[in-house]
Amino acid sequence: MKRILTYGTFDLLHYGHIRLLKRARALGDYLIIGLSTDEFNAGKGKKAYHSFESRKEMLESVRYVDLVIPEETWEQKLDDVLEYRVDTVVMGGDWAGSDRFEYLKDYCEVVYLDRTEGVSTTLIREELGM
Ligand code: C2G
């Protein structure tokens, strides 16, 4: 069983997120999401529109997702890879080459997938004046 892990906030879930999850899941047999907690986001100066619980509930209903775990720190990723026996970490291309992920290459595959153009949580919030 090939296990895939990805991270994100996934706020105002949209088709760009779904296409990332679909492609990530297609790389293996089991997809885990490390979902940013509200506290972790606060540390990044980000505030999601939907709470962690709501974002988790929505992601758990997506057919490509097998497990959602909390992302509480930047440093937990290696622990997650080891604890969940992850074969591949997948992130969107905006993270390509990032120190936050490159070091994991000593322990698993790290794959960056192209982002879906024309949609983002920020764009949605701006257009809806949120
Ligand atoms: N994404 C995408 N296409 C978009 C928007 C997002 O492929 N149009 C991808 C991002 O590249 C990311 C995932 O969907 O891989 C989740 O997006 P965000 O919630 O914006 O994730 P981010 O805020 O980058 O959090 O520790 C890493 C962070 O938790 C990542």
Side-chain angles (χ1 to χ4, degrees):
M1 171 177 290
K2 193 169 178 198
R3 303 159 74 84
I4 314 294
L5 171 61
T6 189
Y7 293 90
T9 302
F10 295 96
D11 193 25
L12 299 181
L13 197 61
H14 56 67
Y15 62 90
H17 295 137
I18 299 300
R19 290 181 189 172
L20 187 284
L21 297 174
K22 181 175 184 177
R23 286 176 291 155
R25 176 65 177 74
L27 295 176
D29 310 289
Y30 190 87
L31 176 59
I32 303 164
I33 297 178
L35 182 62
S36 306
T37 61
D38 298 330
E39 296 75 12
F40 180 53
N41 276 336
K44 295 189 271 182
K46 279 174 76 172
K47 183 174 182 344
Y49 180 80
H50 289 303
S51 69
F52 172 81
E53 286 309 322
S54 298
R55 291 181 282 120
K56 181 172 185 284
E57 181 183 352
M58 284 188 260
L59 288 168
E60 286 172 339
S61 68
V62 173
R63 68 174 61 198
Y64 308 115
V65 178
D66 295 287
L67 177 67
V68 179
I69 62 173
E71 177 190 30
E72 300 173 289
T73 68
W74 290 109
E75 297 75 23
Q76 74 180 72
K77 295 182 174 53
L78 179 51
D79 293 338
D80 293 342
V81 165
L82 299 175
E83 179 179 350
Y84 292 94
R85 304 192 312 285
V86 168
D87 298 285
T88 307
V89 168
V90 173
M91 290 301 292
D94 45 320
W95 290 94
S98 165
D99 294 344
R100 300 286 192 190
F101 291 93
E102 287 295 295
Y103 75 100
L104 295 171
K105 285 182 173 175
D106 293 336
Y107 303 92
C108 64
E109 247 190 312
V110 178
V111 172
Y112 303 106
L113 300 176
D114 290 344
R115 283 172 65 93
T116 300
E117 293 307 316
V119 65
S120 72
T121 304
T122 306
L123 265 177
I124 293 169
R125 295 187 77 144
E126 282 168 3
E127 288 190 17
L128 297 181
M130 292 162 75

